[in-house]
Amino acid sequence: MSVDISLYTLPNNQPIVALECDTAFKALTQKEKLYAHYLSQAAWNGGLIVLVQTSPESPLIFALLHKIYLAESVDELRAAATRANISEDEFTAFLVYSCGVFSNAGNYKAMGDTKIIPLLPKNAFETIMKASKAYKDNPTEIKNLWDNISNALYSLDGKLKSLGLGDKGITTYFSANCTKEDADRVNAFMEYKGLESYNARCFKTTVHNPENNSNIDVYEIRLASLETSDDPKITSSEETYKDAKFKITRGDYSKLMVPVVENLQKAKEYASNQTEKDMLDKYIDHFRTGSLDDHRNGSRLWIKDKGPAIETYIGFIETYRDPAGQRGEFEGFVAMVNREMSEKFATLVNRAEEFIPLLPWNKDFEKDVFLRPDFTSLDVLTFAGSGIPSGINIPNYDEIRQSEGFKNVSLGNVIPAHMKDIHSIAFLSESDQALMNSYRIPSFEVQVGLHELLGHGTGKLFKQIDSDSYNFDRDKVKNPLTKGSINKFFLKGETYDSKFGTMGSSYEECRAEAVGLYLSLNREVLSIFAHREQQADNIIYVNWLSLLWSGFAKALEMYQPATKTWLQAHAQARYVLLRVCLEAGEDFVKIVEIEKEKDKDLIMQVDRDKIFTVGKRAIGDFLLKLQVYKSMGDIELAKAMYDRYSEVSDNGEYPWLRWRDIVLSRKEPRKIFVQSNTFVDDSNNVILKNYESSFTGLIQSWVERFPSADTSQTLIELWNKDKHYFTTNN
């Protein structure tokens, strides 16, 4: 079967957009700017960990490109490439690929997890490399890097097309010899030990026992930390559990942790209060020792730091890319509060208890006490990781979110940057396109607010506390779907992540998106955002239209037919909601296939007059099921329902696979963001440097972010240390 290369390359017209933060940064005091600077340095240096987490070859690809651009400017490299008979298109493709690797923190897309390969021939890539000053100065070193990555750089063989486990894709969260069964074994062991895996990876070896002439699997669960020695409070010696051996070690990414800790210590000097200082102390201890409890306790302090001028969070956070759904990708962000929009979100928080009872479940399924969070709109200065979201609800630790609190942030300068220069919108009528262009940003602000606060922030998990005690009344609470007793719940030691596994992220995003749709119908909610009368009607319509359109026109890009897997949690969630609305019938949502002269087109239509009737009923009923199954930890019923709506096939009323081909033929490249850098001058003043929205500007930002060759050397050392885990079956 031939491979559609366009799915795995970035086009030469790849859009590059600057993430504007000038106004917010200039409003900071000198002390706040220094605090932001050192936090940013910690985040950026920690963000290099994502290269190691993405694919075996990503650290070396970054190292090669870093060395090339460190040795000379893009213009000088272009001149050398031209002399070597490289065309302008080939050189542009080289720059685009470089931008893709830098911005995605590796050679797999942050949105979709599909591989990125260069859009120029392999021999042209090699020619540019050999024409570079880096190669001329150190030919042996550069050639060695090339020899180690040249095949992987271009290969789309089998599972290499996307991230995953076993035959589903590539991962470095587990060694190459691990399967889903191995992941299940490790997850069971961690649950048995009462531990979570956010800052862990797993490496399997198989050893022979001569006493009984049998093999036994040994799993090393390695924690991320600066310190590498054993510590009985954190690590553990080898122990047997269910016919396998397990040991917990630490020291993963150790050298990359050094600048993280150093910069957090410097940031502490400029913290605005004792809570922030104590919080940073806990983060420092976490990155130094590998103790996840320290990060939990730092997160507890973080949620108590209300309304700071500089908001930040750092660590191993989101589990989207772990194929077992439990190990966190490193991310760190630093942002300035947007006071005007934050006031609207604060009002939403203050009135949240008015809106929570409007959700389709009763108070038994809601948290005993609404944990009033901080909810701010932020202008991002720094976001280090594989991608930049539009909103965040953290921390992700179950016990903190359920009983202590959380924070919501909307990344206000990300939303307009994503939607900049969009005029023509595929698969919509001209009138719907006009409405989307007018109201998409303000409607998305409403959706993000509801999604983060009243989506992720609501709903109770039924838990066993001890052998005969629970956090709910087993005699009185009834299942609203069956009218019977609650017969399932989270056993002691079980968490949402451990129970829902790989499905958990998408399922929870779907629940939060559904809450946003459902509550966006409330005019009191819209009035908080200053939307009234006809404008409010348009915001409601565009919010529903936009999300359902995304579930069609964007989500299908993220489905992998060969493995029948979804490559992005939010995409799957929105597709599921689209399927729910289509199933509601009554011509509420329609997708119409149109014959054209040379090909076919599709138009999606939403009947705005039926949103308050058919739409609200369909989403409300589905949302109730999502919540009941989540509260009870009923993974069996949740999975059966979610898998049914997630199916992409041509069997049935809608030819989804054929429509996916049409969607792919019209797809637009996702924007890449250029982020600013900060520097401290000789007078201890912080300078903000912006870069032009171009391939050259983005590359320059990364070279100036990491001006030392030591960065590349550290990544090469990490690759050498673990390469045997990803190239052999141990």
Side-chain angles (χ1 to χ4, degrees), residues 67-134:
K67 285 177 179 291
I68 288 173
Y69 293 119
L70 208 56
E72 62 190 325
S73 70
V74 170
D75 286 342
E76 289 169 329
L77 181 64
R78 177 185 282 107
T82 301
R83 290 193 295 273
N85 296 319
I86 293 295
S87 71
E88 186 62 30
D89 280 350
E90 288 171 334
F91 188 75
T92 298
F94 183 84
L95 298 183
V96 171
Y97 180 74
S98 303
C99 291
V101 169
F102 290 150
S103 61
N104 288 279
N107 63 332
Y108 285 77
K109 293 177 184 176
M111 191 71 173
D113 292 344
T114 51
K115 190 170 185 178
I116 309 168
I117 65 169
L119 190 58
L120 72 159
K122 189 174 182 179
N123 62 347
F125 195 108
E126 185 174 6
T127 298
I128 294 171
M129 178 197 75
K130 288 183 174 178
S132 71
K133 186 175 185 298

Side-chain angles (χ1 to χ4, degrees), residues 346-358:
T347 303
L348 186 62
V349 170
N350 292 334
R351 297 183 62 186
E353 283 152 305
E354 291 177 40
F355 304 128
I356 291 172
L358 302 177

